[in-house]
Structures are given as C-alpha cells and as structure tokens.
C-alpha cells in the first residue's frame, strides 16, 4: 500500500483516475479496452475452488513496486521460487490503492478500539 501511495504522491503519472472522476466527458471516447473502462466492465468469474487453488499456487514471498511514468512495475517472487513482473497502468494502480485503503478503513471500523470490561 505504501509503495502505491508513494507512486500516487510522487510519481510521474497523469492522475487519469482523478481527472476522469472530475470530468466524465474525458472518458466518452475511450475504447472499451482502455484500462479505465476494463476496470469498470471486466471482473473475473472464478468459482470458490478456483480461487483457493489460485491462492495456494500464487502466494507471494517478496514484492516490489517501481513507478515508471504512467505505469507501475510490480515484481513478485512466489513461494515456489518463480518470479514474475506485471506492468500496471496508473488507472489500475489508483484503483488498487483505493480498494486497499477502503479495505483497511473498513477493517478498522469492524475491529474498533480495545476497551470495556469484557
């Protein structure tokens, strides 16, 4: 989360998600395959069994993020020893940051602060 946040705050990106949110007219002529539109329209259809198998086979041991202009390079080392590199468009990086931030905030609300006489 911190790496993506640093990219958002200090990266050499166009802040397209912010611009698109502020002025939806900017997205009117984007192709269906543009990362912004695929974020809104595409979602994986995985069954519970597939999700479990994917998780076990893709556990990440180490990861790094590197901002490269409108992309973030995400390098991972899996517990199996295999490595991979993913280029994430800034739209996706901003979306991941928003999702993670909300998830952490919601978890904090659910857990609350310790106290009481239980």
């Amino acid at each position: 989360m911190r790496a993506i946040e640093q990219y958002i705050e200090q990266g050499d990106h166009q802040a397209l998600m912010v611009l698109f949110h502020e002025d939806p007219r900017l997205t009117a002529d984007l192709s269906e395959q543009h990362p912004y539109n695929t974020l809104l329209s595409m979602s994986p259809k995985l069954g519970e069994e597939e999700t479990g198998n994917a998780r076990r086979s893709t556990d990440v041991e180490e990861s790094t993020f590197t901002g490269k202009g409108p992309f973030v390079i995400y390098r991972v080392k899996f517990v199996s020893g295999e490595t991979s590199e993913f280029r994430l468009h800034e739209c996706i990086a901003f979306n991941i940051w928003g999702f993670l931030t909300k998830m952490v905030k919601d978890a904090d609300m659910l857990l609350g602060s310790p106290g009481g006489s239980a």
Side-chain angles (χ1 to χ4, degrees):
M1 246 177 89
R2 285 187 289 255
I4 295 175
E5 192 170 66
Q6 182 179 5
Y7 169 72
I8 289 170
E9 292 174 356
Q10 302 169 6
D12 181 26
H13 52 72
Q14 300 169 349
L16 289 175
M17 292 297 277
V18 175
L19 294 173
F20 289 163
H21 179 72
E22 290 176 356
D23 187 358
R25 294 174 297 172
L26 296 172
T27 63
D29 295 327
L30 295 177
S31 75
E32 288 183 26
Q33 276 64 47
H34 188 279
Y36 178 78
N37 286 327
T38 58
L39 282 173
L40 302 176
S41 66
M42 300 177 86
S43 60
K45 305 279 191 274
L46 297 175
E48 200 168 312
E49 184 177 310
E50 292 172 290
T51 309
N53 288 340
R55 188 200 170 293
R56 284 188 293 277
S57 64
T58 58
D59 284 345
V60 174
E61 184 175 299
E62 295 175 19
S63 64
T64 60
F65 285 88
T66 307
K68 296 287 184 187
F71 288 89
V72 173
I73 308 298
Y74 176 46
R75 292 180 184 93
V76 295
K77 178 182 175 190
F78 299 103
V79 293
S80 66
E82 295 179 55
T83 60
S84 196
E85 179 177 293
F86 304 93
R87 289 175 51 96
L88 306 176
H89 190 275
E90 71 178 48
C91 291
I92 296 169
F94 274 63
N95 193 46
I96 290 170
W97 178 80
F99 171 78
L100 290 173
T101 301
K102 179 164 178 24
M103 189 172 67
V104 169
K105 180 182 174 190
D106 290 350
D108 285 346
M109 288 173 47
L110 284 172
L111 296 173
S113 55
S117 58

